[in-house]
Amino acid sequence: MKQHGDVILAYSIMIGLIILVGFLQSWSIALSILCFCLISAVMTMGANIQWGYAGLINFGIMGYTALGGLAAVLVSVPPVKEAWQAGGILMLLCVLIIISMVLGVRFILKKYQKSKKRNYGVAFVIIVGLIFLRLISGPAIESIEAVNPATTGFLGGMGLPILFSWIVGAFFAGGLAYIIGKIALGLRADYLAIATLLISEIVIAVIKHEDWLARGVKNVIGLNRPVPYEIDLQAKQWFINLVEKFNQGTLNLVTDTLEREQLLKQLVIEGSTVFVKLCYAGLFTIVVIILLIITQKALYSPWGRMMRAIRDNEEAADAMGKNVVKQHLLIFVLGSAVVGIAGAMMVTYDGLFTPGSYRPMRYTFLIWVMVIVGGSGNNFGSILGGFAVWFLWIEAAPASLYLINLFTSGLEETNALKIHLINSIPYFRLLVMGIALLLVMRYRPKGILPEKIKHI
Amino acid sequence: MIQKLEDLFWVDDMDFINAIVLLLNYIFVPALSYGSQLALGAIFVSLIYGILRFAYFTAGDLMSFGTMFTILFTWHFQSLGINLGILPTALLAIPFGVIITILYVLIKDKLVFSYYRMKKSPPVMLAMVSIGTMFVTQAIVRIIIGPFDRRFFDGEKFILKANEFKEMTGLNEGLTIKSTQVITLLVTIIVVSILFWFLNKTKTGKSMRAYSDNEDLALLSGIDPKRVVMITWVIAAILATIGGTLYGLDKSFKPFTYFNNMLPIFAAAIVGGIGNPFGAFLGGYVIAFSEILLTYAYRKFFVYVLPENLEPDSLLQLLSTDYKFAVSFSILVVVLLFRPSGIFKGKII
């Protein structure tokens, strides 16, 4: 138990901080911080699988997150029948063309020796395929987007419960990672970083501008939920009783019946948002725990040992007969799939899909700060990193407001500098993140909870 | 009176010339200035990669940092009533912006990067550290000047207006040349020629190239690594400030756009062969031209060129402009696949 002392200490501090927010600000804020901490933790675990286990840099986290979100839309939204009638078959035909293009290229690559002719053949197949795609998809997309553009204008999804999308999102992200891995994994570390960063931008560009798929920047709102709606809860008798029971003390202070009823109503409304967020937090915690168990088992299995061997000395592992390329691809796919789950979870929690909001700062670099700060190679560390950095990211604004007020308390309220500083509070979080990252990298390069290798 | 082109060339059918002017106006001129701005960024990214040996993710934000101070000085000069007449005041402010940016990168190197260099950390570590400085630089810029769009251009806006051109030549198509485009091109030519003269002819420049090629050999022959590193940072700061200011003059200054520009800049540096400044310079134009060539709608061009019965009715656009960014990245992926050392042979990594 002694060796887990620092883990327990770090997590108790973290939970304590979140509870403190609950007391100081509000429970609703504390719970939404907790939910996003859990989502961040899942993303960080995905990145940690790639970076911590295998030493692969993936700066494309934003792309996988967005694909997970896309999965949430495609799974949960009911299908738009008119749009399917208008252009669904043609779009399916396009999918067929893409598949046959891929098969054609594979066939040429397998059948013929490496030569100029082969390259021309591949180029020919791709160009012909693209022309056909353009010709067929153009009118189809136009007619799909013309179907009731204010509310739908896209093919819609499958109309299934949104929880399924967490698995589908993993498959989407894993699939993309397979393609990228095939292309880019041979590159050296910093090249891979740049290539994945750019590819994730392409993914976002496609999601943003292919309106027939998920409405693009017009956003999809009102996704269905795995948990009850606040309004339904407020009407349920058992919930009102529950709230009454919890707030017996406050309610008893009020003697007037009318006032008491008003207060109860207020409490029920507040209680319902907290209850919904608690449900989400519960669901997310289940995911984190399942993933943690799996990743811990994997880390200390023979496979985990092999991955560490590959990470620490690729050539030696290769000489021992381990298939480095295949293992790298596998771990790249697995890590990205975990990130995809997180993306789907996030859209589920938000209840809306906004492709315009995916920016590399928030979804790629922030996650990397989490991995590095938390401790790469250690699952507990990466989860802690997700919690701590997200907490800092949210609480940096109120904290810097407090500090600015403290330091400029000698100045008048109308002082230009003070007003300017207070207006730029949202950007202090970037400063805090940068300094935190630099300090951790300098003085604790292995993170808050460094990797521990169990020697059995 | 200027003679009409029609009389000059004895061409009855002006369609062909119209088509060429169209391409000049919408593709060549904008791509040339955008390419120059990218090229300046790509050169310093490439230099840092060659000499300090890591991917410098702060590139875009360093440009916005330099531009921000240039803008602040520009505003100061404007308030004092100093201006350059038809030229933008920002040109006068650039040297001051450069000095502050140089101080900033040198302090940053001293406080942050030198430690990892001494420890001989792997390049990945340094790239991560540069992400830390990226966050800090971005925060500084946004705290000082805010995240909004800023225009700081003054002076004469156009050298050639579309209407004037039409009147002058009697063509249907106008050619617009903004003064910022000419300034961009001129400044780029001057800066890049000085830089390549410095790298190829002076002793310091040669020692930098030697250091980039083989660090150990360079150290053996008595090259001072501290000096080489310092000069690299100074060059980076100069190029970043000038490139950023030119971009801001031509379009507008917005910190987020500058951060995003990091991506095509990296693409240009890698396409040109990272670690090879001249390749990076050309890479900037490769990226700019392909972005604009692939997303331009050629319908009007073919309307001019083809006989009337063959005129196209679609837009003839290879890719929608939404995918402008995607083009440069796709080129990058293709280059990475088939020629990882870049078109112009940089380091193989």
Side-chain angles (χ1 to χ4, degrees), chain A residues 51 57 59 134 183 188-191 194 197-198 201 209-210 361 365 368 420 427 431 434 437 441-442, chain B residues 49 57 111 115-116 124 128 131-132 135 138-139 143-144 147 263 266 270 317-318 322-323 329 332 340 349:
Chain A
W51 168 244
I57 295 195
F59 275 179
R134 209 43 208 270
I183 297 174
R188 214 194 67 178
D190 18 10
Y191 253 6
I194 295 164
L197 182 63
L198 299 183
E201 286 283 345
H209 302 302
E210 296 300 326
M361 222 42 202
F365 294 118
W368 270 92
H420 182 86
Y427 314 111
L431 193 67
L437 179 65
M441 291 205 70
R442 177 77 167 257
Chain B
Y49 199 95
F57 281 99
L111 288 180
Y115 170 79
Y116 298 95
V124 174
M128 287 296 168
I131 287 174
F135 272 97
Q138 218 169 79
I143 289 170
I144 293 182
L263 302 166
F266 263 111
I270 293 178
Q317 197 176 13
L318 288 173
D322 303 328
Y323 290 117
F329 308 156
L332 180 82
I349 49 175

Short mmCIF file of all heavy atoms in Angstrom, two decimals, chain A residues 51 57 59 134 183 188-191 194 197-198 201 209-210 361 365 368 420 427 431 434 437 441-442, chain B residues 49 57 111 115-116 124 128 131-132 135 138-139 143-144 147 263 266 270 317-318 322-323 329 332 340 349:
data_model
loop_
_atom_site.label_atom_id
_atom_site.label_comp_id
_atom_site.label_asym_id
_atom_site.label_seq_id
_atom_site.Cartn_x
_atom_site.Cartn_y
_atom_site.Cartn_z
N TRP A 51 1.66 7.63 -26.39
CA TRP A 51 2.92 8.29 -26.04
C TRP A 51 3.62 7.55 -24.90
O TRP A 51 4.81 7.25 -24.98
CB TRP A 51 2.63 9.75 -25.67
CG TRP A 51 3.75 10.48 -25.03
CD1 TRP A 51 3.77 10.99 -23.77
CD2 TRP A 51 5.00 10.82 -25.61
NE1 TRP A 51 4.96 11.62 -23.54
CE2 TRP A 51 5.74 11.53 -24.66
CE3 TRP A 51 5.59 10.58 -26.86
CZ2 TRP A 51 7.01 12.01 -24.89
CZ3 TRP A 51 6.86 11.07 -27.09
CH2 TRP A 51 7.56 11.77 -26.11
N ILE A 57 4.09 10.04 -31.09
CA ILE A 57 3.48 11.35 -30.90
C ILE A 57 2.26 11.45 -31.79
O ILE A 57 2.33 11.21 -32.98
CB ILE A 57 4.43 12.47 -31.29
CG1 ILE A 57 5.60 12.47 -30.34
CG2 ILE A 57 3.72 13.81 -31.20
CD1 ILE A 57 6.37 13.74 -30.43
N PHE A 59 -0.41 14.28 -32.63
CA PHE A 59 -0.97 15.61 -32.45
C PHE A 59 -2.30 15.74 -33.18
O PHE A 59 -2.74 16.82 -33.49
CB PHE A 59 0.00 16.69 -32.97
CG PHE A 59 1.03 17.07 -31.97
CD1 PHE A 59 2.00 18.02 -32.27
CD2 PHE A 59 1.03 16.52 -30.70
CE1 PHE A 59 2.95 18.38 -31.33
CE2 PHE A 59 1.97 16.87 -29.77
CZ PHE A 59 2.94 17.80 -30.09
N ARG A 134 -17.10 13.04 -58.08
CA ARG A 134 -17.54 14.40 -58.25
C ARG A 134 -18.85 14.45 -59.03
O ARG A 134 -19.80 15.11 -58.65
CB ARG A 134 -16.42 15.12 -58.99
CG ARG A 134 -16.21 16.59 -58.77
CD ARG A 134 -16.31 17.02 -57.36
NE ARG A 134 -16.75 18.40 -57.34
CZ ARG A 134 -15.94 19.44 -57.36
NH1 ARG A 134 -14.64 19.25 -57.33
NH2 ARG A 134 -16.41 20.66 -57.38
N ILE A 183 -0.05 5.31 -43.37
CA ILE A 183 0.68 6.30 -44.16
C ILE A 183 1.88 6.84 -43.40
O ILE A 183 2.99 6.90 -43.92
CB ILE A 183 -0.25 7.50 -44.50
CG1 ILE A 183 -1.40 7.03 -45.37
CG2 ILE A 183 0.53 8.59 -45.21
CD1 ILE A 183 -2.43 8.11 -45.62
N ARG A 188 9.77 9.87 -38.59
CA ARG A 188 10.38 10.09 -37.30
C ARG A 188 9.49 10.97 -36.44
O ARG A 188 8.58 11.63 -36.94
CB ARG A 188 11.74 10.75 -37.49
CG ARG A 188 12.73 10.31 -36.45
CD ARG A 188 13.92 11.21 -36.46
NE ARG A 188 13.56 12.56 -36.02
CZ ARG A 188 14.44 13.53 -35.89
NH1 ARG A 188 15.68 13.31 -36.21
NH2 ARG A 188 14.06 14.73 -35.50
N ALA A 189 9.79 10.97 -35.13
CA ALA A 189 8.86 11.55 -34.15
C ALA A 189 8.29 12.91 -34.53
O ALA A 189 7.07 13.08 -34.59
CB ALA A 189 9.55 11.63 -32.80
N ASP A 190 9.14 13.91 -34.81
CA ASP A 190 8.56 15.24 -34.99
C ASP A 190 7.83 15.37 -36.32
O ASP A 190 6.88 16.14 -36.44
CB ASP A 190 9.55 16.40 -34.80
CG ASP A 190 10.97 15.96 -34.90
OD1 ASP A 190 11.18 14.81 -35.31
OD2 ASP A 190 11.86 16.76 -34.59
N TYR A 191 8.24 14.60 -37.30
CA TYR A 191 7.49 14.57 -38.56
C TYR A 191 6.10 14.01 -38.32
O TYR A 191 5.11 14.52 -38.84
CB TYR A 191 8.21 13.68 -39.57
CG TYR A 191 8.88 14.44 -40.67
CD1 TYR A 191 8.93 15.82 -40.67
CD2 TYR A 191 9.45 13.77 -41.74
CE1 TYR A 191 9.55 16.50 -41.67
CE2 TYR A 191 10.08 14.45 -42.76
CZ TYR A 191 10.13 15.81 -42.72
OH TYR A 191 10.73 16.48 -43.72
N ILE A 194 3.85 16.59 -36.80
CA ILE A 194 3.34 17.60 -37.72
C ILE A 194 2.32 16.97 -38.67
O ILE A 194 1.25 17.55 -38.91
CB ILE A 194 4.49 18.25 -38.50
CG1 ILE A 194 5.39 19.01 -37.52
CG2 ILE A 194 3.98 19.19 -39.55
CD1 ILE A 194 6.73 19.35 -38.09
N LEU A 197 -0.94 16.43 -36.95
CA LEU A 197 -1.59 17.73 -36.70
C LEU A 197 -2.31 18.20 -37.96
O LEU A 197 -3.47 18.63 -37.93
CB LEU A 197 -0.52 18.74 -36.29
CG LEU A 197 -0.97 20.14 -35.93
CD1 LEU A 197 -1.86 20.09 -34.72
CD2 LEU A 197 0.21 21.05 -35.66
N LEU A 198 -1.61 18.09 -39.11
CA LEU A 198 -2.21 18.55 -40.35
C LEU A 198 -3.39 17.67 -40.76
O LEU A 198 -4.41 18.16 -41.22
CB LEU A 198 -1.16 18.57 -41.45
CG LEU A 198 0.04 19.50 -41.21
CD1 LEU A 198 0.97 19.49 -42.39
CD2 LEU A 198 -0.42 20.89 -40.94
N GLU A 201 -6.46 18.55 -39.05
CA GLU A 201 -7.09 19.76 -39.61
C GLU A 201 -7.93 19.39 -40.84
O GLU A 201 -8.99 19.96 -41.07
CB GLU A 201 -6.02 20.78 -40.02
CG GLU A 201 -5.38 21.49 -38.86
CD GLU A 201 -6.27 22.57 -38.28
OE1 GLU A 201 -7.25 22.96 -38.93
OE2 GLU A 201 -5.98 23.01 -37.16
N HIS A 209 -17.39 21.21 -43.68
CA HIS A 209 -17.92 21.67 -44.96
C HIS A 209 -18.78 20.66 -45.71
O HIS A 209 -19.39 21.01 -46.70
CB HIS A 209 -16.78 22.15 -45.85
CG HIS A 209 -16.00 23.25 -45.20
ND1 HIS A 209 -16.61 24.43 -44.82
CD2 HIS A 209 -14.72 23.36 -44.82
CE1 HIS A 209 -15.71 25.20 -44.25
NE2 HIS A 209 -14.57 24.58 -44.23
N GLU A 210 -18.81 19.42 -45.26
CA GLU A 210 -19.71 18.45 -45.89
C GLU A 210 -21.05 18.50 -45.16
O GLU A 210 -21.31 17.72 -44.26
CB GLU A 210 -19.10 17.05 -45.87
CG GLU A 210 -17.81 16.92 -46.67
CD GLU A 210 -17.97 17.25 -48.14
OE1 GLU A 210 -19.04 16.99 -48.71
OE2 GLU A 210 -17.03 17.81 -48.73
N MET A 361 -5.81 24.11 -30.21
CA MET A 361 -5.33 24.55 -28.90
C MET A 361 -6.05 23.77 -27.80
O MET A 361 -5.44 23.26 -26.88
CB MET A 361 -5.67 26.03 -28.78
CG MET A 361 -4.65 26.90 -28.19
SD MET A 361 -3.02 26.57 -28.74
CE MET A 361 -2.16 27.30 -27.39
N PHE A 365 -3.42 20.37 -28.05
CA PHE A 365 -2.30 20.78 -27.21
C PHE A 365 -2.64 20.72 -25.73
O PHE A 365 -1.82 20.33 -24.91
CB PHE A 365 -1.82 22.17 -27.62
CG PHE A 365 -1.25 22.18 -29.01
CD1 PHE A 365 -1.81 22.93 -30.01
CD2 PHE A 365 -0.18 21.37 -29.32
CE1 PHE A 365 -1.30 22.91 -31.30
CE2 PHE A 365 0.34 21.33 -30.61
CZ PHE A 365 -0.22 22.11 -31.59
N TRP A 368 -2.24 17.31 -24.58
CA TRP A 368 -0.83 16.96 -24.42
C TRP A 368 -0.26 17.53 -23.13
O TRP A 368 0.56 16.89 -22.48
CB TRP A 368 -0.02 17.42 -25.63
CG TRP A 368 -0.01 16.33 -26.63
CD1 TRP A 368 -0.88 16.14 -27.66
CD2 TRP A 368 0.87 15.21 -26.64
NE1 TRP A 368 -0.59 14.98 -28.31
CE2 TRP A 368 0.48 14.39 -27.72
CE3 TRP A 368 1.95 14.82 -25.85
CZ2 TRP A 368 1.13 13.21 -28.02
CZ3 TRP A 368 2.59 13.65 -26.16
CH2 TRP A 368 2.19 12.86 -27.22
N HIS A 420 -8.30 46.98 -18.67
CA HIS A 420 -7.73 46.15 -19.73
C HIS A 420 -7.40 44.75 -19.21
O HIS A 420 -7.73 43.75 -19.83
CB HIS A 420 -6.47 46.82 -20.27
CG HIS A 420 -5.83 46.08 -21.40
ND1 HIS A 420 -6.21 46.24 -22.71
CD2 HIS A 420 -4.87 45.13 -21.41
CE1 HIS A 420 -5.50 45.45 -23.47
NE2 HIS A 420 -4.67 44.76 -22.72
N TYR A 427 -7.60 35.00 -21.19
CA TYR A 427 -6.34 34.58 -21.79
C TYR A 427 -5.28 34.23 -20.77
O TYR A 427 -4.24 33.69 -21.12
CB TYR A 427 -5.84 35.65 -22.78
CG TYR A 427 -6.99 36.10 -23.63
CD1 TYR A 427 -7.54 37.35 -23.53
CD2 TYR A 427 -7.61 35.16 -24.47
CE1 TYR A 427 -8.65 37.70 -24.26
CE2 TYR A 427 -8.72 35.50 -25.19
CZ TYR A 427 -9.25 36.78 -25.08
OH TYR A 427 -10.35 37.10 -25.79
N LEU A 431 -1.70 31.47 -20.30
CA LEU A 431 -0.44 31.75 -19.63
C LEU A 431 -0.18 30.72 -18.53
O LEU A 431 0.91 30.15 -18.44
CB LEU A 431 -0.51 33.16 -19.03
CG LEU A 431 0.79 33.77 -18.55
CD1 LEU A 431 1.69 34.02 -19.73
CD2 LEU A 431 0.53 35.07 -17.82
N GLY A 434 0.78 27.36 -20.07
CA GLY A 434 2.13 27.36 -20.61
C GLY A 434 3.16 27.28 -19.50
O GLY A 434 4.08 26.46 -19.55
N LEU A 437 3.17 23.85 -17.89
CA LEU A 437 3.85 22.86 -18.73
C LEU A 437 5.36 23.03 -18.64
O LEU A 437 6.11 22.06 -18.45
CB LEU A 437 3.38 23.01 -20.18
CG LEU A 437 4.02 22.04 -21.17
CD1 LEU A 437 3.63 20.62 -20.85
CD2 LEU A 437 3.60 22.37 -22.59
N MET A 441 7.97 20.33 -17.07
CA MET A 441 8.98 19.72 -17.94
C MET A 441 10.38 19.98 -17.41
O MET A 441 11.28 19.18 -17.60
CB MET A 441 8.87 20.27 -19.36
CG MET A 441 7.60 19.78 -20.02
SD MET A 441 7.74 19.77 -21.78
CE MET A 441 8.86 18.46 -22.06
N ARG A 442 10.56 21.10 -16.74
CA ARG A 442 11.88 21.43 -16.25
C ARG A 442 12.20 20.68 -14.95
O ARG A 442 13.24 20.06 -14.81
CB ARG A 442 11.93 22.94 -16.00
CG ARG A 442 13.22 23.45 -15.42
CD ARG A 442 14.28 23.52 -16.50
NE ARG A 442 15.43 24.28 -16.06
CZ ARG A 442 15.67 25.53 -16.44
NH1 ARG A 442 14.84 26.15 -17.24
NH2 ARG A 442 16.75 26.14 -16.03
N TYR B 49 15.05 24.31 -37.29
CA TYR B 49 15.12 22.85 -37.35
C TYR B 49 16.53 22.39 -37.66
O TYR B 49 17.03 21.42 -37.09
CB TYR B 49 14.15 22.30 -38.41
CG TYR B 49 13.89 20.85 -38.17
CD1 TYR B 49 12.77 20.46 -37.45
CD2 TYR B 49 14.77 19.88 -38.60
CE1 TYR B 49 12.55 19.15 -37.16
CE2 TYR B 49 14.55 18.56 -38.31
CZ TYR B 49 13.44 18.20 -37.60
OH TYR B 49 13.23 16.90 -37.30
N PHE B 57 7.16 24.85 -32.58
CA PHE B 57 5.72 25.04 -32.70
C PHE B 57 5.28 26.46 -32.37
O PHE B 57 4.13 26.81 -32.55
CB PHE B 57 4.98 24.04 -31.82
CG PHE B 57 4.91 22.69 -32.42
CD1 PHE B 57 5.79 21.69 -32.05
CD2 PHE B 57 3.99 22.42 -33.41
CE1 PHE B 57 5.74 20.44 -32.65
CE2 PHE B 57 3.93 21.19 -34.00
CZ PHE B 57 4.80 20.19 -33.62
N LEU B 111 16.05 31.32 -20.62
CA LEU B 111 15.25 30.78 -19.51
C LEU B 111 14.79 29.36 -19.77
O LEU B 111 14.70 28.55 -18.86
CB LEU B 111 14.02 31.66 -19.27
CG LEU B 111 14.25 33.01 -18.64
CD1 LEU B 111 12.93 33.74 -18.48
CD2 LEU B 111 14.93 32.86 -17.29
N TYR B 115 18.57 25.15 -21.24
CA TYR B 115 18.67 24.05 -20.27
C TYR B 115 18.60 22.69 -20.98
O TYR B 115 19.40 21.80 -20.74
CB TYR B 115 17.53 24.19 -19.26
CG TYR B 115 17.35 23.01 -18.34
CD1 TYR B 115 18.18 22.84 -17.24
CD2 TYR B 115 16.33 22.09 -18.56
CE1 TYR B 115 18.01 21.78 -16.39
CE2 TYR B 115 16.16 21.01 -17.70
CZ TYR B 115 17.00 20.87 -16.62
OH TYR B 115 16.82 19.82 -15.79
N TYR B 116 17.64 22.57 -21.90
CA TYR B 116 17.46 21.29 -22.58
C TYR B 116 18.58 21.03 -23.56
O TYR B 116 18.95 19.89 -23.82
CB TYR B 116 16.10 21.25 -23.28
CG TYR B 116 14.97 21.39 -22.31
CD1 TYR B 116 14.40 22.62 -22.06
CD2 TYR B 116 14.51 20.29 -21.62
CE1 TYR B 116 13.39 22.76 -21.14
CE2 TYR B 116 13.50 20.40 -20.70
CZ TYR B 116 12.93 21.65 -20.47
OH TYR B 116 11.95 21.77 -19.54
N VAL B 124 12.16 15.59 -29.48
CA VAL B 124 10.75 15.56 -29.10
C VAL B 124 10.49 16.40 -27.87
O VAL B 124 9.53 17.16 -27.78
CB VAL B 124 10.32 14.10 -28.82
CG1 VAL B 124 8.92 14.07 -28.30
CG2 VAL B 124 10.46 13.29 -30.07
N MET B 128 8.09 19.66 -27.40
CA MET B 128 7.09 19.82 -26.34
C MET B 128 7.29 21.13 -25.60
O MET B 128 6.33 21.84 -25.29
CB MET B 128 7.22 18.69 -25.31
CG MET B 128 6.76 17.37 -25.79
SD MET B 128 5.02 17.41 -26.12
CE MET B 128 4.86 15.88 -26.97
N ILE B 131 5.90 23.89 -27.30
CA ILE B 131 4.45 24.02 -27.13
C ILE B 131 4.15 24.84 -25.87
O ILE B 131 3.24 25.67 -25.86
CB ILE B 131 3.79 22.64 -27.08
CG1 ILE B 131 3.81 22.06 -28.48
CG2 ILE B 131 2.37 22.71 -26.57
CD1 ILE B 131 3.34 20.66 -28.56
N GLY B 132 4.96 24.62 -24.83
CA GLY B 132 4.80 25.44 -23.63
C GLY B 132 5.00 26.91 -23.94
O GLY B 132 4.19 27.76 -23.55
N PHE B 135 2.01 28.42 -25.75
CA PHE B 135 0.92 28.85 -24.86
C PHE B 135 1.25 30.22 -24.26
O PHE B 135 0.41 31.12 -24.27
CB PHE B 135 0.74 27.84 -23.72
CG PHE B 135 -0.20 26.70 -24.04
CD1 PHE B 135 0.27 25.48 -24.48
CD2 PHE B 135 -1.56 26.86 -23.87
CE1 PHE B 135 -0.60 24.45 -24.75
CE2 PHE B 135 -2.43 25.82 -24.14
CZ PHE B 135 -1.95 24.62 -24.59
N GLN B 138 1.20 33.06 -26.89
CA GLN B 138 -0.18 33.35 -27.28
C GLN B 138 -0.88 34.16 -26.20
O GLN B 138 -1.59 35.12 -26.51
CB GLN B 138 -0.90 32.02 -27.47
CG GLN B 138 -1.87 32.06 -28.62
CD GLN B 138 -2.37 30.68 -28.95
OE1 GLN B 138 -3.24 30.17 -28.27
NE2 GLN B 138 -1.83 30.07 -29.98
N ALA B 139 -0.64 33.77 -24.94
CA ALA B 139 -1.27 34.49 -23.84
C ALA B 139 -0.79 35.94 -23.80
O ALA B 139 -1.61 36.86 -23.67
CB ALA B 139 -0.97 33.79 -22.52
N ILE B 143 -3.23 39.05 -24.16
CA ILE B 143 -3.42 39.93 -23.01
C ILE B 143 -3.08 41.37 -23.40
O ILE B 143 -3.78 42.31 -23.03
CB ILE B 143 -2.56 39.47 -21.81
CG1 ILE B 143 -3.15 38.18 -21.24
CG2 ILE B 143 -2.51 40.53 -20.73
CD1 ILE B 143 -2.29 37.51 -20.23
N ILE B 144 -2.02 41.53 -24.21
CA ILE B 144 -1.62 42.90 -24.54
C ILE B 144 -2.56 43.53 -25.57
O ILE B 144 -3.07 44.63 -25.38
CB ILE B 144 -0.16 42.94 -25.04
CG1 ILE B 144 0.78 42.57 -23.89
CG2 ILE B 144 0.18 44.34 -25.56
CD1 ILE B 144 2.23 42.61 -24.25
N PRO B 147 -7.79 39.57 -28.71
CA PRO B 147 -7.89 38.57 -29.78
C PRO B 147 -8.52 39.10 -31.05
O PRO B 147 -8.77 38.34 -31.97
CB PRO B 147 -8.79 37.52 -29.13
CG PRO B 147 -9.67 38.30 -28.25
CD PRO B 147 -8.89 39.49 -27.78
N LEU B 263 0.48 26.11 -39.63
CA LEU B 263 0.33 24.84 -40.34
C LEU B 263 0.85 24.92 -41.78
O LEU B 263 1.71 24.12 -42.15
CB LEU B 263 -1.12 24.38 -40.27
CG LEU B 263 -1.62 24.22 -38.84
CD1 LEU B 263 -3.13 24.10 -38.79
CD2 LEU B 263 -0.99 23.03 -38.19
N PHE B 266 4.65 25.16 -41.68
CA PHE B 266 5.31 23.87 -41.50
C PHE B 266 5.26 23.06 -42.79
O PHE B 266 6.24 22.42 -43.18
CB PHE B 266 4.65 23.08 -40.37
CG PHE B 266 5.37 23.22 -39.08
CD1 PHE B 266 4.82 23.91 -38.03
CD2 PHE B 266 6.62 22.66 -38.93
CE1 PHE B 266 5.50 24.06 -36.84
CE2 PHE B 266 7.31 22.79 -37.74
CZ PHE B 266 6.75 23.50 -36.69
N ILE B 270 8.54 21.67 -44.75
CA ILE B 270 8.79 20.25 -44.98
C ILE B 270 8.81 19.94 -46.47
O ILE B 270 9.65 19.18 -46.94
CB ILE B 270 7.74 19.39 -44.25
CG1 ILE B 270 7.92 19.56 -42.75
CG2 ILE B 270 7.89 17.94 -44.62
CD1 ILE B 270 6.92 18.82 -41.94
N GLN B 317 -14.29 24.04 -60.66
CA GLN B 317 -13.44 24.24 -59.50
C GLN B 317 -13.00 22.86 -59.02
O GLN B 317 -13.85 22.00 -58.80
CB GLN B 317 -14.26 24.94 -58.42
CG GLN B 317 -13.46 25.56 -57.34
CD GLN B 317 -14.36 26.30 -56.38
OE1 GLN B 317 -15.57 26.15 -56.42
NE2 GLN B 317 -13.77 27.09 -55.51
N LEU B 318 -11.71 22.66 -58.90
CA LEU B 318 -11.24 21.33 -58.50
C LEU B 318 -11.65 21.02 -57.07
O LEU B 318 -12.05 19.92 -56.75
CB LEU B 318 -9.73 21.25 -58.64
CG LEU B 318 -9.25 21.19 -60.08
CD1 LEU B 318 -7.74 21.29 -60.12
CD2 LEU B 318 -9.71 19.92 -60.76
N ASP B 322 -13.34 26.04 -49.29
CA ASP B 322 -13.32 25.61 -47.90
C ASP B 322 -12.13 24.71 -47.61
O ASP B 322 -11.67 24.61 -46.49
CB ASP B 322 -14.60 24.83 -47.57
CG ASP B 322 -15.83 25.63 -47.86
OD1 ASP B 322 -15.76 26.86 -47.71
OD2 ASP B 322 -16.86 25.05 -48.24
N TYR B 323 -11.64 24.03 -48.64
CA TYR B 323 -10.58 23.06 -48.42
C TYR B 323 -9.20 23.63 -48.70
O TYR B 323 -8.26 22.90 -48.93
CB TYR B 323 -10.82 21.82 -49.28
CG TYR B 323 -11.98 21.03 -48.80
CD1 TYR B 323 -13.10 20.84 -49.57
CD2 TYR B 323 -11.96 20.49 -47.52
CE1 TYR B 323 -14.18 20.13 -49.11
CE2 TYR B 323 -13.03 19.78 -47.04
CZ TYR B 323 -14.14 19.61 -47.84
OH TYR B 323 -15.20 18.91 -47.37
N PHE B 329 -1.99 20.51 -46.88
CA PHE B 329 -1.66 19.35 -46.06
C PHE B 329 -1.60 18.09 -46.92
O PHE B 329 -0.78 17.21 -46.68
CB PHE B 329 -2.68 19.17 -44.94
CG PHE B 329 -2.87 20.42 -44.15
CD1 PHE B 329 -4.03 20.65 -43.46
CD2 PHE B 329 -1.87 21.38 -44.12
CE1 PHE B 329 -4.20 21.81 -42.74
CE2 PHE B 329 -2.03 22.54 -43.41
CZ PHE B 329 -3.20 22.76 -42.72
N LEU B 332 1.60 17.96 -48.52
CA LEU B 332 2.59 17.56 -47.54
C LEU B 332 2.59 16.05 -47.37
O LEU B 332 3.63 15.40 -47.35
CB LEU B 332 2.27 18.23 -46.22
CG LEU B 332 3.27 17.85 -45.15
CD1 LEU B 332 4.49 18.69 -45.29
CD2 LEU B 332 2.68 18.01 -43.80
N PRO B 340 10.46 11.80 -48.51
CA PRO B 340 10.46 12.32 -47.14
C PRO B 340 11.50 13.41 -46.92
O PRO B 340 11.41 14.17 -45.97
CB PRO B 340 10.80 11.10 -46.29
CG PRO B 340 10.62 9.94 -47.16
CD PRO B 340 10.71 10.37 -48.57
N ILE B 349 14.60 12.82 -42.30
CA ILE B 349 14.24 12.54 -40.91
C ILE B 349 13.06 11.60 -40.84
O ILE B 349 12.47 11.31 -41.82
CB ILE B 349 13.90 13.82 -40.11
CG1 ILE B 349 12.92 14.67 -40.89
CG2 ILE B 349 15.13 14.59 -39.78
CD1 ILE B 349 12.47 15.87 -40.13
#
